[in-house]
């Protein structure tokens, strides 16, 4: 992630910005949308077709607070990839952000989250965690 995007977000009250990054030999598109909060979406650049086998992983906030360890909700079909994601050590830090979710579709991983604008420095952490998640889950 470039410093130019962070500066651009801080200097403009609202907007949309996209960039292409290469992770583990694959091209990914990162889209930042901001106003009061920053919404980040990381997805593969090449999206060919839609599959019915989609699984979404989210953190269950209330249950995680009560149980004192992360609990996740799964929607969709459980696959080998979702099992790898659930046991991966980078899933927990990625799903700690508000409105964050990991989506598995066509054996590819998508990620979305929302953070406060004053926490713009977390964008680098998110990208680094996502890269590590992809490398360790394949």
């Amino acid at each position: 992630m470039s410093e130019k995007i962070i500066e651009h977000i801080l200097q403009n009250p609202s907007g949309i910005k996209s960039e292409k990054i290469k992770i583990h030999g694959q091209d990914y598109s990162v889209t930042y949308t901001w106003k009061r909060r920053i919404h980040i979406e990381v997805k593969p650049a090449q999206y060919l077709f839609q599959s019915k086998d989609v699984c979404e992983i989210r953190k269950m906030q209330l249950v995680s607070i009560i149980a004192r360890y992360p609990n996740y909700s799964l929607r969709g079909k459980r696959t080998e990839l979702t099992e790898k994601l659930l046991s991966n050590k980078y899933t927990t830090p990625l799903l700690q952000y508000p409105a964050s979710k990991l989506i598995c579709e066509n054996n590819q991983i998508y990620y979305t989250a929302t953070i406060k604008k004053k926490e713009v420095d977390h964008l680098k952490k998110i990208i680094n965690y996502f890269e590590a998640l992809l490398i360790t889950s394949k």
Side-chain angles (χ1 to χ4, degrees), residues 1 9 18 22 25 37 48 55 64-65 69 71 99 122 131:
M1 181 178 158
I9 290 172
S18 293
K22 197 171 232 18
R37 297 187 180 269
L48 301 175
C55 185
S64 295
I65 292 170
Y69 62 89
N71 284 292
H122 287 265
E131 285 180 18

Side-chain angles (χ1 to χ4, degrees), residues 86-97:
L86 288 171
S87 64
N88 196 306
K89 67 180 180 179
Y90 297 106
T91 300
T92 303
L94 280 172
L95 293 178
Q96 76 177 354
Y97 296 101

Side-chain angles (χ1 to χ4, degrees), residues 30-88:
V30 183
T31 306
Y32 309 95
T33 308
W34 69 93
K35 202 168 195 164
R36 287 187 316 173
R37 297 187 180 269
I38 303 168
H39 180 75
I40 181 172
E41 180 179 81
V42 185
K43 62 183 181 180
Q46 298 263 330
Y47 185 72
L48 301 175
F49 57 91
Q50 220 169 338
S51 171
K52 293 181 182 177
D53 296 337
V54 178
C55 185
E56 182 179 292
I57 304 170
R58 290 179 179 224
K59 184 175 179 185
M60 295 170 48
Q61 298 295 338
L62 184 61
V63 176
S64 295
I65 292 170
I66 294 169
R68 294 189 179 152
Y69 62 89
N71 284 292
Y72 303 107
S73 70
L74 286 159
R75 287 189 184 155
K77 187 177 179 184
R78 239 182 153 126
T79 62
E80 184 181 329
L81 181 60
T82 56
E83 295 301 323
K84 286 181 182 179
L85 291 177
L86 288 171
S87 64
N88 196 306

